[in-house]
Amino acid sequence: MLEKVVILAAVSVLAILEQAYFSFQVIYARRKYSVSPPSTDGPPEFQRIYRAQMNCSEYFPIFITVLWTAGLFFSQGLSSVFGLLYLYGRFLYFRGYSQSSQRRLAPLYFCSKVLWALLSFSTLGILSSFCRFYLNLDVLQQLRSALRLVA
Amino acid sequence: MLEKVVILAAVSVLAILEQAYFSFQVIYARRKYSVSPPSTDGPPEFQRIYRAQMNCSEYFPIFITVLWTAGLFFSQGLSSVFGLLYLYGRFLYFRGYSQSSQRRLAPLYFCSKVLWALLSFSTLGILSSFCRFYLNLDVLQQLRSALRLVA
Amino acid sequence: MLEKVVILAAVSVLAILEQAYFSFQVIYARRKYSVSPPSTDGPPEFQRIYRAQMNCSEYFPIFITVLWTAGLFFSQGLSSVFGLLYLYGRFLYFRGYSQSSQRRLAPLYFCSKVLWALLSFSTLGILSSFCRFYLNLDVLQQLRSALRLVA
């Protein structure tokens, strides 16, 4: 069983390390721009770094959920590849947003597309599992047989 | 194994779609009230939509955790029904909060009750599993036998 | 299978109860310092309680993820003990932050160390599983045999 989720777990651990990196960046920015907790107000440079980290944190549980549902019900390998793409996109997003609000956009759209792909994998995998468990119909198997008949 | 979590996974995917919908609403509100990132300050109308989305995001990982523990240890069917109720409550909450701070309250209390129910299912299921695994005592089975003796 | 995660699930439910406690504290603070939603601005006393809860919420999904990966791939018992330590640290953090920004620091460093420990357990467990599944090499077993040869 663990064999089917070990790569997902590895990507999840990587995601946590990335979040830790973002948190450290906020701590450095707090020192650099003299913004002491509990305040989160400061110059735009600080605000951007703080918002970048907040946005990544906000999407972290969504990413983990969709990574695991896609991995469990569709394909561990494909989900993990898209998971790595997402983490890379988030890194570019954080770096871009630290520089200017404009530069966050391209990586943000990229991350969003990767999330939609993972969500599609999840949906396909779950629907196909529903058919298998409740309608006793293996859609993927049927598709393969149909293709063989055609060939 | 996947049979025991496929409905939970489906509800989780729905929850992510709902979060995506809330995120889009914030993007539209940013445009409508001219609030450019990284700022999150703006007129009360924008603030309410932003806070509604933030609150839903904050509770998202709690909801997912309790949905899966209740589903794994108590009942997948019942947890999924309560999961759907929660998502419906969150939709009403978001719509209500967008209109006025007052209108967020009724759906908020409703969502809170649903979460407590899911938490109770989880607790019951986990306690009964503890008894079964560590005390070799099947509480639910014992209860059934006791009822049969009485009858 | 559920036997291998039941304690993790129990710790997760405890973590949710702690989050519920923090949320109630924010609601009381909103009343005490007359800060009505959607505003999150107020006197420093309110700000600290609000930020304490926000920080705990932000780390909640990271904690849950690392608790489960460490529990699944390394040791359920050890992960759960560290999970309880984390929850206790978070309680001290919240109480400390409510009193002064300074008093949040010691428990924050403690929580951070516990998270790094859980992350190390996860990494070790995942790496050892990778070796077992993909290199057909049981690192822990080899280590034990080597120790026996030495003895």
Side-chain angles (χ1 to χ4, degrees):
Chain A
M1 176 62 205
L2 287 183
E3 212 170 327
K4 293 194 176 163
V5 294
V6 65
I7 314 181
L8 302 177
V11 175
S12 304
V13 164
L14 266 182
I16 291 172
L17 288 173
E18 196 181 41
Q19 283 299 121
Y21 168 77
F22 295 156
S23 291
F24 281 126
Q25 298 307 106
V26 174
I27 293 171
Y28 298 146
R30 277 192 179 280
R31 282 192 202 140
K32 189 172 170 191
Y33 301 106
S34 308
V35 182
S36 310
S39 174
T40 57
D41 246 350
E45 289 77 21
F46 170 76
Q47 286 269 328
R48 287 201 308 270
I49 294 174
Y50 173 70
R51 284 300 310 160
Q53 190 258 342
M54 282 293 286
N55 190 284
C56 295
S57 289
E58 195 186 311
Y59 278 86
F60 175 82
I62 290 176
F63 168 64
I64 294 290
T65 306
V66 89
L67 173 75
W68 283 74
T69 50
L72 278 172
F73 290 94
F74 193 73
S75 150
Q76 183 181 209
L78 203 62
S79 300
S80 301
V81 170
F82 275 76
L84 291 176
L85 286 177
Y86 178 81
L87 296 182
Y88 180 62
R90 276 295 169 181
F91 175 74
L92 296 181
Y93 165 83
F94 192 89
R95 215 178 47 181
Y97 207 168
S98 306
Q99 291 162 357
S100 83
S101 283
Q102 190 55 37
R103 287 202 190 161
R104 84 185 195 288
L105 289 176
L108 189 62
Y109 296 148
F110 174 75
C111 287
S112 161
K113 274 175 205 157
V114 175
L115 277 188
W116 282 110
L118 283 169
L119 205 60
S120 309
F121 298 159
S122 302
T123 309
L124 276 174
I126 289 166
L127 286 179
S128 124
S129 293
F130 263 118
C131 292
R132 207 162 66 242
F133 297 145
Y134 298 106
L135 305 177
N136 207 9
L137 179 77
D138 196 332
V139 180
L140 295 177
Q141 185 58 42
Q142 298 272 329
L143 212 72
R144 256 178 251 126
S145 310
L147 284 174
R148 225 173 289 143
L149 271 178
V150 171
Chain B
M1 177 63 206
L2 286 183
E3 211 170 329
K4 292 191 175 165
V5 294
V6 65
I7 315 182
L8 302 175
V11 175
S12 304
V13 165
L14 267 183
I16 292 171
L17 288 174
E18 196 180 40
Q19 284 299 119
Y21 168 77
F22 295 157
S23 291
F24 282 127
Q25 297 308 106
V26 174
I27 292 171
Y28 297 146
R30 276 193 180 278
R31 282 191 203 142
K32 189 172 168 191
Y33 301 106
S34 309
V35 182
S36 310
S39 174
T40 57
D41 246 349
E45 288 76 21
F46 170 75
Q47 286 269 329
R48 287 201 309 270
I49 293 173
Y50 174 69
R51 285 298 310 160
Q53 192 258 343
M54 284 292 286
N55 189 283
C56 295
S57 289
E58 195 186 312
Y59 278 86
F60 175 81
I62 291 176
F63 168 65
I64 293 291
T65 307
V66 89
L67 173 76
W68 283 73
T69 50
L72 277 172
F73 291 93
F74 194 74
S75 151
Q76 183 180 208
L78 203 61
S79 300
S80 302
V81 170
F82 275 76
L84 291 176
L85 286 177
Y86 178 81
L87 296 182
Y88 180 62
R90 276 294 168 181
F91 175 74
L92 295 181
Y93 165 84
F94 192 90
R95 214 178 48 180
Y97 208 168
S98 306
Q99 291 162 355
S100 84
S101 283
Q102 189 57 35
R103 288 202 189 161
R104 85 186 195 288
L105 290 176
L108 189 61
Y109 296 148
F110 174 75
C111 287
S112 162
K113 275 175 203 158
V114 175
L115 277 188
W116 282 109
L118 282 169
L119 205 59
S120 311
F121 298 160
S122 302
T123 309
L124 276 174
I126 289 167
L127 286 179
S128 124
S129 294
F130 264 118
C131 292
R132 208 162 65 240
F133 297 144
Y134 298 105
L135 305 177
N136 206 9
L137 179 76
D138 194 332
V139 179
L140 295 176
Q141 185 59 44
Q142 296 273 329
L143 212 74
R144 257 180 249 124
S145 310
L147 285 173
R148 225 175 286 141
L149 272 178
V150 172
Chain C
M1 175 63 206
L2 287 183
E3 211 170 329
K4 294 193 174 162
V5 294
V6 65
I7 315 182
L8 302 176
V11 175
S12 304
V13 164
L14 267 182
I16 292 171
L17 288 173
E18 196 181 41
Q19 283 299 120
Y21 168 77
F22 295 156
S23 291
F24 281 126
Q25 296 308 105
V26 174
I27 293 171
Y28 297 147
R30 276 194 180 278
R31 281 190 203 142
K32 190 172 167 189
Y33 301 106
S34 308
V35 182
S36 310
S39 174
T40 58
D41 245 350
E45 289 77 20
F46 171 75
Q47 285 269 330
R48 288 201 308 270
I49 294 174
Y50 174 69
R51 284 299 310 159
Q53 191 258 343
M54 283 293 286
N55 190 284
C56 295
S57 289
E58 195 186 312
Y59 278 85
F60 175 82
I62 290 175
F63 168 66
I64 293 289
T65 306
V66 88
L67 172 77
W68 283 74
T69 49
L72 278 172
F73 290 93
F74 193 74
S75 150
Q76 182 180 209
L78 203 63
S79 300
S80 301
V81 170
F82 275 75
L84 291 176
L85 285 177
Y86 178 81
L87 295 182
Y88 180 62
R90 276 294 169 181
F91 176 74
L92 296 181
Y93 165 84
F94 192 89
R95 217 179 46 182
Y97 208 170
S98 305
Q99 290 162 358
S100 83
S101 283
Q102 190 56 36
R103 289 203 188 160
R104 85 184 195 291
L105 290 176
L108 189 62
Y109 295 147
F110 174 75
C111 287
S112 163
K113 275 175 205 157
V114 175
L115 277 187
W116 281 110
L118 283 169
L119 205 60
S120 311
F121 298 160
S122 301
T123 309
L124 276 175
I126 289 166
L127 285 180
S128 124
S129 292
F130 264 117
C131 292
R132 209 163 64 242
F133 297 144
Y134 299 105
L135 306 177
N136 207 10
L137 178 77
D138 194 332
V139 180
L140 295 177
Q141 185 60 42
Q142 298 272 330
L143 210 74
R144 257 178 250 126
S145 309
L147 285 174
R148 225 174 289 143
L149 272 177
V150 172

